[in-house]
Amino acid sequence: MDDHPLFVRGLELLLPVTSDNRAEVVGSTGNAATAAGLVSRCLPDLVLVDLHLPPPGGVRAVAAIRRTTPQTRVVAMSGSTDPATVLEALRAGAEGYLPKTSGPEELLPPLLAVLDGWAVLPAELLRVLLRPSRVTPVDLDGEERRLLCAIAAGRHTVDIAEELHVSERTVKRMTAALLRKLRVTNRAEAAAVAGQAGLLE
């Protein structure tokens, strides 16, 4: 699943050569909206998905493929190594991630490992994702710290609004912005980040 025809053509030509004809491209598309349909027709063992496909995007394509053909394994690819995007893909159901800078001879071993049931990630990216804290206290200003501590304490929106002397609507807006900054999806994950960052001590 890639919207760069030269990249797809390169894989079509080089995968059979580098794998002694064990691996071949059986179908391709650059349209994320039709990706799941193509996979359900071709039933490949493994799908490579570019995370930066045009809307609805690679992450949505990964999720759709996992819903429609859960037996097919999915590996995300990208020209960048943004941990947030990779994490989204893994949460959507991808079994691994590989940079698009990999040569064909470098692609085959991790792809075969995924087929054998392993998850694959570049070592540097794995270290980033496994860091105990996604954010340090210095990343937040005073108001953001107060809001995070209130969220971690389980305070309700109305109580936080009174404490910060703002409206409930403003608290909701600030909370949404804080979750984005922390790269988490809900208040529980934000509370975990607060604990990791030492803000609750």
Side-chain angles (χ1 to χ4, degrees):
M1 309 300 167
D2 197 291
D3 61 338
H4 293 89
L6 284 177
F7 181 79
V8 174
R9 185 58 179 157
L11 289 181
E12 290 174 338
L13 294 173
L14 294 173
L15 273 181
V17 174
T18 58
S19 68
D20 293 327
N21 291 313
R22 288 180 296 161
E24 64 176 336
V25 176
V26 297
S28 64
T29 181
N31 186 342
T34 63
L38 178 62
V39 171
S40 64
R41 290 193 300 274
C42 295
L43 294 177
D45 298 308
L46 185 144
V47 181
L48 288 173
V49 179
D50 183 358
L51 294 180
H52 297 287
L53 287 171
V59 173
R60 294 282 293 276
V62 170
I65 291 167
R66 296 298 296 158
R67 282 195 305 271
T68 56
T69 50
Q71 73 276 17
T72 297
R73 302 183 73 78
V74 180
V75 173
M77 298 191 76
S78 174
S80 69
T81 55
D82 176 20
T85 304
V86 175
L87 195 56
E88 282 185 57
L90 296 176
R91 285 174 173 163
E95 275 85 12
Y97 167 84
L98 294 172
K100 288 182 74 172
T101 52
S102 304
E105 67 286 346
E106 298 172 301
L107 280 177
L108 192 62
L111 295 184
L112 293 177
V114 169
L115 289 176
D116 286 335
W118 294 89
V120 294
L121 287 172
E124 183 177 337
L125 183 58
L126 181 62
R127 284 192 290 271
V128 171
L129 293 177
L130 291 179
R131 283 177 186 164
S133 176
R134 296 183 196 167
V135 64
T136 59
V138 295
D139 292 323
L140 305 176
D141 61 30
E143 189 172 64
E144 289 170 329
R145 288 191 194 191
R146 288 195 298 275
L147 175 59
L148 181 55
C149 287
I151 290 172
R155 304 278 300 281
H156 293 293
T157 300
V158 62
D159 297 325
I160 297 175
E162 289 180 6
E163 180 180 333
L164 298 181
H165 306 292
V166 296
S167 68
E168 292 181 47
R169 186 173 183 178
T170 298
V171 171
K172 291 177 182 177
R173 178 182 53 77
M174 291 168 59
T175 299
L178 180 62
L179 295 183
R180 286 194 300 271
K181 186 170 185 177
L182 296 176
R183 292 181 175 175
V184 297
T185 58
N186 55 51
R187 287 183 168 215
E189 291 181 7
V193 171
Q196 292 167 354
L199 292 178
L200 305 182
E201 296 174 359

